[in-house]
Amino acid sequence: MADQTPVSRSVLEDEHGSANPLATVSNKVLRRTTEFMSSIGTVWFFALVILICTEIVAREFFLSPIRGVTEIAAYSIVGAAFLQLANTVYAERMARADFMLSIFGKRFPLSVAVIEVVVSIIGLIAMVLLAQATWPKLVDAYVDAEIVGVPGEFSFQVWPLRFLVLIGSAMTALAFLARAFQKVGSVYANHGKAGMIGLVLTLATLTILWFTVFPMVMDARLSTFAIGAILLATLILVVMTGVHIGVAMLLIGFIGLWLLKGRIGFGYSMLGLAGNEFLANYYFSAVPLFVLMGLLVAAADIGKETFAVASWLTRPIRGGLGIATVGANAMFAAITGSSVASATVFSKVATPEMIRHGYNKQFSVGVVAGSSVLGMLIPPSLLLIVYGFLAEQSVGYLFIAAIVPGLILAFAMSFMIWFNATFRPHKVFDTAPDAGSDVDAISGIGQAALYLAPIIGLIVLVLGGIYGGFFTPTEGGAVGSAGALIYAILRRRLPMQKLWQVMVETGQIATTVLFLILAANIFTIMLASSGFVQNVGTLINSLDLSLLQFAAIYVILLVILGMFLESVSIMLIVVPIALPTVAALGGDPIWFGILTVIAVEIGLLTPPFGLSCYVVAATLRDKGIDLVDIFKGVQPFVFVMFLMTILIILFPDLASMTFQK
């Protein structure tokens, strides 16, 4: 998902900051309202940490668990996410693949400007549909006094949370409308009457196509498989044009259900279920909790201290700073679960040190971006949590199974760095290599142990608690967040302003991921209803592929998709289709999950999307680092990851160790 900075100017102002002629006086009220709603959702997510940690203490130390925590957390996810959804649109944080717009923006600026208007209108339509589908769910919950929990012990009514979904959807629709006005203003300001004529003709053409093509498809009596295949291809095409990924999956899934059942009511029914009930699952609490933990760890400078120790330990080794970056990333990954967090932290910490000690820029940024992918493999991992939900597998088992592959991958990256530094020094160094690094902060073993204490303590706290059975992986996110917060406060590294920034960032990232999951549910229901998944499985079985052959094709497909889409979106689209085939071929779903994460993470390093590369470029934009240099610098790491996928395919036991076999 894109790592973008929230915009500070009004979305009804053009890119030059001047007042847009289409702006309305209500924009300021709308913006402040969405920010207020987002603030409530932000605090709500943070309150979950306190609630869950309190429940763990009460349960483990006083044998008096707090009733209703599971229900409160599950439904809180729904309410808090929808409260923040509109602000993610304002902040341009909703996930999208806009690389094509970037490529064509200089040659065809008018076309790109028009597309941006269309993208906003599509978002508006999707959110209006979601609001409409939510209304009957709200009415039913209110009239029937629907409750959650056990009457007489702990229960609460559902309708207030349904109301938040309705309000959140409506406000997000207004945010998309405001974005559309801003983009229309940009068309007029930059292209004049010719631009407006082009915009009107484009909108008219799309409207005519909709009212022409959709009835034709309805009357064509296509097979359900054909409908599913056409809509899957449409999804990929629409996403490539810059439509927000969650919006595209939600809208196309809705249209597909309408086509398959021949009535719009079924689409509304499924949309209402997804928007109001699907995310009301304690399982999804892990998303904001682990995101918060990763951001708090980064804010507390734990990554910086870990890198200092790693560079001190590897100072006698050729290419030691590069190896130190990999090692620090591996340890950092054990408490963050985020490649983006790792790339952000070590871009600032490791890159300047390597360049200062004679490493060339290309290699330096390549090491940071390449090793950042360890954040999504070494547990805890957000992608493994998402996969666990999709595949209905134990997240704890997935975490255990990822340890060995994660360590092997880190070692392989380190070996590759040493090999290049020793035998191909021109690929690594610009000047004479320095055997050491800036280790002035490390005076000896005692100082190194002091620097490593926070990260080791959090690893023991989180992973030890999960594997020891003291708390679940979801609760581990809350415990880790609390531990990182306490450490940062004690070290006076987290003033209130910085803490609030971390909380806001947590809300935006978590809301984006949760909305993707919600939208993917609609699209997955559509594909299942079309029989597309079953037919693809039958087709693959007819080819008489072995599990090894299928796995190889699957990895190649994921890498190709990774060039255009971000990790969570790929998994949400592909895993429900591929998993039944793996089961039919006798594959272990735990092994398949590890293979999937590694293959998907290759996409973080490959152009044109390459999220980790973009994060490094954005973090070092004032250092003269070119994006092309980053993509070139990560090529050796992409090669190592491909070798890792081959190893996992040939030796599946490496990725299926759960202590249950």
Side-chain angles (χ1 to χ4, degrees):
M1 151 183 348
D3 187 65
Q4 299 165 307
T5 303
V7 293
S8 58
R9 68 176 186 269
S10 165
V11 294
L12 293 182
E13 293 178 355
D14 63 31
E15 59 215 22
H16 305 292
S18 58
N20 188 303
L22 295 177
T24 65
V25 293
S26 63
N27 177 60
K28 185 177 291 186
V29 175
L30 177 62
R31 180 60 189 265
R32 288 182 176 177
T33 302
T34 58
E35 288 178 342
F36 176 71
M37 291 170 55
S38 181
S39 298
I40 296 174
T42 296
V43 174
W44 200 341
F45 275 152
F46 192 76
L48 284 179
V49 174
I50 300 173
L51 175 64
I52 293 174
C53 288
T54 302
E55 200 279 330
I56 293 172
V57 171
R59 182 184 69 213
E60 296 296 329
F61 293 97
F62 299 100
L63 302 179
S64 180
I66 301 173
R67 297 183 183 277
V69 169
T70 300
E71 291 82 0
I72 292 173
Y75 280 84
S76 290
I77 291 300
V78 181
F82 272 91
L83 280 172
Q84 297 175 88
L85 190 57
N87 203 46
T88 63
V89 176
Y90 268 107
E92 294 289 350
R93 294 301 297 264
M94 191 172 283
R96 62 188 299 216
D98 56 0
F99 64 92
M100 286 188 65
L101 300 184
S102 301
I103 293 173
F104 293 108
K106 294 182 180 179
R107 286 193 69 181
F108 309 102
L110 175 57
S111 298
V112 172
V114 169
I115 289 173
E116 286 287 10
V117 176
V118 174
V119 166
S120 300
I121 293 174
I122 290 174
L124 168 64
I125 293 171
M127 299 316 299
V128 167
L129 289 173
L130 186 55
Q132 289 178 328
T134 297
W135 174 251
K137 301 290 293 183
L138 169 62
V139 172
D140 290 344
Y142 181 78
V143 172
D144 299 337
E146 182 181 346
I147 64 171
V148 171
V150 180
E153 294 188 8
F154 176 85
S155 63
F156 58 86
Q157 291 202 7
V158 172
W159 73 263
L161 294 165
R162 300 276 191 270
F163 180 71
L164 292 180
V165 174
L166 178 64
I167 293 298
S169 301
M171 293 300 293
T172 307
L174 290 175
F176 272 117
L177 179 62
R179 187 180 189 275
F181 279 140
Q182 182 260 319
K183 298 301 180 182
V184 170
S186 295
V187 171
Y188 181 78
N190 297 320
H191 305 285
K193 292 182 179 179
M196 296 303 292
I197 292 173
L199 174 61
V200 171
L201 289 176
T202 300
L203 294 177
T205 301
L206 291 174
T207 303
I208 292 171
L209 282 174
W210 167 256
F211 285 105
T212 303
V213 174
F214 186 77
M216 290 175 57
V217 175
M218 287 283 285
D219 296 336
R221 300 186 182 278
L222 296 174
S223 67
T224 57
F225 174 78
I227 292 174
I230 291 171
L231 291 178
L232 179 60
T234 302
L235 173 68
I236 296 174
L237 177 64
V238 167
V239 166
M240 296 306 172
T241 60
V243 176
H244 299 88
I245 298 169
V247 166
M249 288 194 290
L250 188 148
L251 190 57
I252 292 175
F254 173 82
I255 292 171
L257 292 170
W258 183 0
L259 284 170
L260 290 168
K261 301 300 180 181
R263 53 189 179 89
I264 196 172
F266 184 73
Y268 273 118
S269 177
M270 292 296 101
L271 196 58
L273 284 172
N276 291 270
E277 299 180 20
F278 179 68
L279 288 181
N281 189 323
Y282 185 65
Y283 191 93
F284 292 129
S285 304
V287 175
L289 296 177
F290 276 102
V291 171
L292 176 61
M293 181 175 69
L295 293 177
L296 284 171
V297 166
D301 286 339
I302 293 177
K304 182 178 181 180
E305 293 177 342
T306 304
F307 175 75
V309 176
S311 61
W312 178 71
L313 290 172
T314 59
R315 66 192 186 282
I317 304 174
R318 189 82 159 180
L321 276 181
I323 296 172
T325 304
V326 174
N329 248 317
M331 295 192 69
F332 195 69
I335 50 172
T336 60
S338 169
S339 295
V340 172
S342 297
T344 302
V345 169
F346 291 103
S347 294
K348 298 175 182 177
V349 172
T351 302
E353 276 293 292
M354 283 189 281
I355 293 175
R356 192 163 69 84
H357 284 85
Y359 292 75
N360 65 53
K361 288 184 178 180
Q362 192 176 103
F363 176 82
S364 300
V365 293
V367 171
V368 171
S371 60
S372 71
V373 300
L374 294 169
M376 281 298 186
L377 179 58
I378 296 177
S381 161
L382 187 59
L383 282 189
L384 288 176
I385 292 171
V386 173
Y387 177 84
F389 168 76
L390 293 173
E392 298 181 351
Q393 296 297 313
S394 165
V395 174
Y397 290 172
L398 286 165
F399 281 3
I400 295 172
I403 293 174
V404 171
L407 294 177
I408 292 175
L409 183 58
F411 176 80
M413 289 180 175
S414 299
F415 178 80
M416 179 269 294
I417 292 171
W418 172 83
F419 181 87
N420 281 328
T422 303
F423 300 104
R424 305 173 68 197
H426 62 283
K427 295 288 186 180
V428 177
F429 303 104
D430 270 342
T431 60
D434 190 322
S437 62
D438 187 8
V439 294
D440 295 337
I442 306 295
S443 59
I445 295 177
Q447 188 71 24
L450 184 64
Y451 271 33
L452 278 182
I455 195 166
I456 293 177
L458 284 174
I459 291 172
V460 172
L461 180 66
V462 176
L463 296 184
I466 292 173
Y467 299 145
F470 294 103
F471 42 76
T472 66
T474 296
E475 293 171 335
V479 172
S481 297
L485 177 62
I486 292 171
Y487 172 78
I489 292 175
L490 291 176
R491 294 295 301 272
R492 298 181 180 179
R493 293 176 176 174
L494 201 64
M496 286 303 299
Q497 182 180 4
K498 193 173 183 180
L499 174 60
W500 180 249
Q501 291 174 348
V502 167
M503 291 167 62
V504 170
E505 182 82 357
T506 297
Q508 290 177 342
I509 294 174
T511 297
T512 300
V513 173
L514 291 168
F515 182 71
L516 277 173
I517 294 172
L518 182 157
N521 177 247
I522 289 291
F523 190 77
T524 301
I525 290 173
M526 184 276 294
L527 281 182
S529 300
S530 71
F532 180 82
V533 176
Q534 297 89 326
N535 279 277
V536 168
T538 302
L539 176 62
I540 293 174
N541 291 335
S542 68
L543 297 176
D544 199 26
L545 295 175
S546 66
L547 180 60
L548 188 150
Q549 291 171 323
F550 174 78
I553 295 172
Y554 176 72
V555 167
I556 294 172
L557 172 64
L558 290 185
V559 172
I560 293 173
L561 290 177
M563 296 178 181
F564 308 103
L565 302 176
E566 52 82 40
S567 305
V568 175
S569 301
I570 295 172
M571 292 184 65
L572 292 172
I573 294 171
V574 176
V575 169
I577 298 174
L579 196 59
T581 300
V582 172
L585 293 174
D588 179 7
I590 299 292
W591 160 80
F592 189 63
I594 306 303
L595 179 66
T596 297
V597 169
I598 296 174
V600 165
E601 288 295 277
I602 294 176
L604 288 178
L605 306 177
T606 50
F609 195 70
L611 178 57
S612 285
C613 297
Y614 279 95
V615 171
V616 173
T619 307
L620 300 174
R621 62 166 55 95
D622 59 339
K623 304 294 183 182
I625 301 296
D626 190 278
L627 185 61
V628 175
D629 287 331
I630 301 175
F631 279 125
K632 289 181 178 179
V634 298
Q635 287 180 3
F637 294 87
V638 172
F639 176 73
V640 169
M641 293 185 72
F642 267 118
L643 292 180
M644 187 66 194
T645 61
I646 294 172
L647 188 67
I648 295 298
I649 291 173
L650 294 178
F651 304 98
D653 285 347
L654 290 175
S656 56
M657 300 179 184
T658 63
F659 306 137
Q660 300 298 306
K661 300 180 179 181

